Amino acid sequence: MKPAQLFPVLLVMLLATGCGKPTDSSETLVVHIGSGNWAAANMKAYVEPFERETGIRVTPVADDLKVAQLKLMDDADSVEIDVIDMPAIEAGRSAALGLLSPIDYSLFKEKELAGLRDETRRPWGVGALYYSIVLSSRGAGPQTWSDLWDTQRFPGARTLFTGEYGDGPWEEALLADGVPADRLYPLDIERAFRSLDRIRPSVKRWWRAGSEGQQLFRDDQVTLGEAYDGRIADLAARRPEIQFTYNQGKLLLDYWVIPRKARHRAAAQKFVELATRADRQAQFAQLIAYGPTNLGAYDLIPAERAARLPSHPDNLAKQFRLDAEWYLRKNEHGESNHETLIRRWQEWILK
């Protein structure tokens, strides 16, 4: 869904689910849980246990919330959501704009805090999950991005993540063009677009949401491309011909964040604390193949399942990490690399 469409849809969803109306509970909480099998995992691992433990009713929201929408709500003093799962770049941008509440780490038990990776403990957010964008195919497919760009050896319709939000397939394009993974940053933006020029005729769809990328493979609309690992793993479990590899995967990190003007900040802090406990993250990782940010969760996950998660040491060794700080860095004109990429994508896609 395009960001401009999101704000009114979010409000409609909240009204339809009864947000703001009297309930049996003295408190309510509005939480972004995503869609599809990701939403189902969030409900089972976090929402339902939170409701049982606290008696606070949760109103789930499926649509992603972009920074622009959060700022609109903030400016209007009408923030209609309490907890958001945000990608690292979006969370960093929101924090820089002063839109987020500090996380109350005093609520966390010492053992749980010790299990959280350093990069997941920010003043404005706590790591929700690790996930990856991975090479995916129907049948034996590419093992590197250079393979995916080779349309002679690997023919077929392709799909890649859109660049309209700024965090597009730039690293993939540079790897396909021969840039080593340890020398990706700072990204050579113009080289990335020249590489995308080569693959563009074979891209049938630039997907905007993880569920869309999964559906393209499920409906046999594409033969190969990229998808979120949890989504494609779920499909592969039911469709053995669907394959993917963590080789040259792009490792990403989401944070749980709380808007500074959220209506139920105290309850939101409780939810974030519960959602980063080792036992809760272990259950989540067994429902969808996304990696825990609390290392203690691995003690509770069967070894066979753990080996299929993006943050497992064996899989980490095959991947590169998206550098969110580079995306947020500004040039001499005050434009961030993230903003530059959005502008360049808009120019490029209209050619």
Side-chain angles (χ1 to χ4, degrees):
M1 178 172 292
K2 295 179 181 178
Q5 299 172 320
L6 178 60
F7 187 58
V9 172
L10 178 59
L11 293 180
V12 168
M13 290 181 64
L14 293 175
L15 290 172
T17 52
C19 180
K21 298 179 182 179
T23 68
D24 294 334
S25 171
S26 60
E27 291 186 271
T28 61
L29 192 67
V30 182
V31 179
H32 166 241
I33 63 165
S35 60
N37 54 330
W38 176 31
N42 275 324
M43 287 295 295
K44 288 290 185 184
Y46 306 133
V47 172
E48 293 173 7
F50 176 81
E51 289 181 324
R52 289 194 298 268
E53 181 174 310
T54 66
I56 299 171
R57 197 197 75 169
V58 172
T59 299
V61 173
D63 287 319
D64 292 339
L65 189 70
K66 301 295 182 182
V67 177
Q69 279 65 51
L70 180 57
K71 190 171 190 313
L72 280 173
M73 290 181 178
D74 187 275
D75 290 344
D77 290 327
S78 183
V79 177
E80 301 287 350
I81 191 164
D82 300 305
V83 181
I84 310 169
D85 181 308
M86 265 193 172
I89 296 173
E90 295 289 300
R93 290 178 62 210
S94 297
L97 291 170
L99 299 175
L100 303 180
S101 293
I103 298 299
D104 184 359
Y105 285 105
S106 70
L107 297 177
F108 291 61
K109 293 181 179 179
E110 185 175 339
K111 181 179 179 181
E112 303 294 352
L113 281 175
L116 291 170
R117 298 172 184 268
D118 289 344
E119 66 181 341
T120 71
R121 293 173 58 178
R122 302 297 190 196
W124 41 259
V126 187
L129 70 153
Y130 284 103
Y131 58 111
S132 301
I133 289 181
V134 293
L135 280 156
S136 308
S137 60
R138 281 195 289 119
Q143 296 300 300
T144 68
W145 297 108
S146 293
D147 288 344
L148 183 68
W149 258 242
D150 189 338
T151 58
Q152 297 299 313
R153 288 178 57 215
F154 298 96
R158 286 152 163 77
T159 185
L160 292 172
F161 183 44
T162 180
E164 66 189 83
Y165 307 132
D167 50 342
W170 329 121
E171 293 88 352
E172 298 91 306
L174 290 170
L175 289 167
D177 204 46
V179 177
D182 61 353
R183 297 185 182 179
L184 281 170
Y185 299 99
L187 297 183
D188 186 333
I189 295 175
E190 296 310 314
R191 183 173 177 179
F193 278 99
R194 288 195 298 270
S195 179
L196 287 171
D197 282 336
R198 294 193 287 115
I199 198 65
R200 183 174 180 172
S202 297
V203 177
K204 181 175 182 178
R205 184 81 62 84
W206 304 90
W207 54 268
R208 292 179 171 86
S211 56
E212 182 185 3
Q214 182 189 51
Q215 184 175 351
L216 289 168
F217 281 98
R218 184 178 63 235
D219 295 347
D220 297 330
Q221 294 185 51
V222 297
T223 303
L224 60 170
E226 66 182 6
Y228 287 137
D229 59 320
R231 303 279 192 172
I232 206 70
D234 178 72
L235 182 59
R238 294 175 279 116
R239 296 269 300 275
E241 76 276 15
I242 301 296
Q243 300 185 20
F244 71 96
T245 177
Y246 278 114
N247 188 46
Q248 293 192 336
K250 178 158 62 178
L251 187 70
L252 308 167
L253 175 60
D254 273 13
Y255 290 88
W256 290 115
V257 301
I258 302 170
R260 66 168 183 164
K261 293 183 180 179
R263 295 180 178 180
H264 310 102
R265 288 191 295 277
Q269 296 282 1
K270 294 177 183 178
F271 181 89
V272 170
E273 184 277 321
L274 180 143
T276 47
R277 295 177 191 169
D279 62 338
R280 295 293 90 230
Q281 289 203 350
Q283 183 183 13
F284 177 82
Q286 292 178 78
L287 293 167
I288 186 169
Y290 290 144
T293 55
N294 189 329
L295 294 176
Y298 277 103
D299 295 333
L300 306 172
I301 301 172
E304 182 181 356
R305 179 65 172 181
R308 293 157 54 192
L309 301 176
S311 53
H312 186 276
D314 290 347
N315 295 326
L316 281 176
K318 302 173 184 176
Q319 302 179 81
F320 65 93
R321 294 172 184 259
L322 178 139
D323 186 347
E325 292 184 3
W326 178 86
Y327 278 85
L328 298 173
R329 199 167 298 145
K330 295 186 177 182
N331 60 25
E332 64 274 17
H333 305 295
E335 183 179 63
S336 69
N337 290 317
H338 184 256
E339 293 167 327
T340 298
L341 285 163
I342 292 174
R343 176 174 54 78
R344 284 291 291 113
W345 172 267
Q346 292 170 342
E347 296 167 351
W348 181 81
I349 203 67
L350 293 174
K351 287 183 181 178

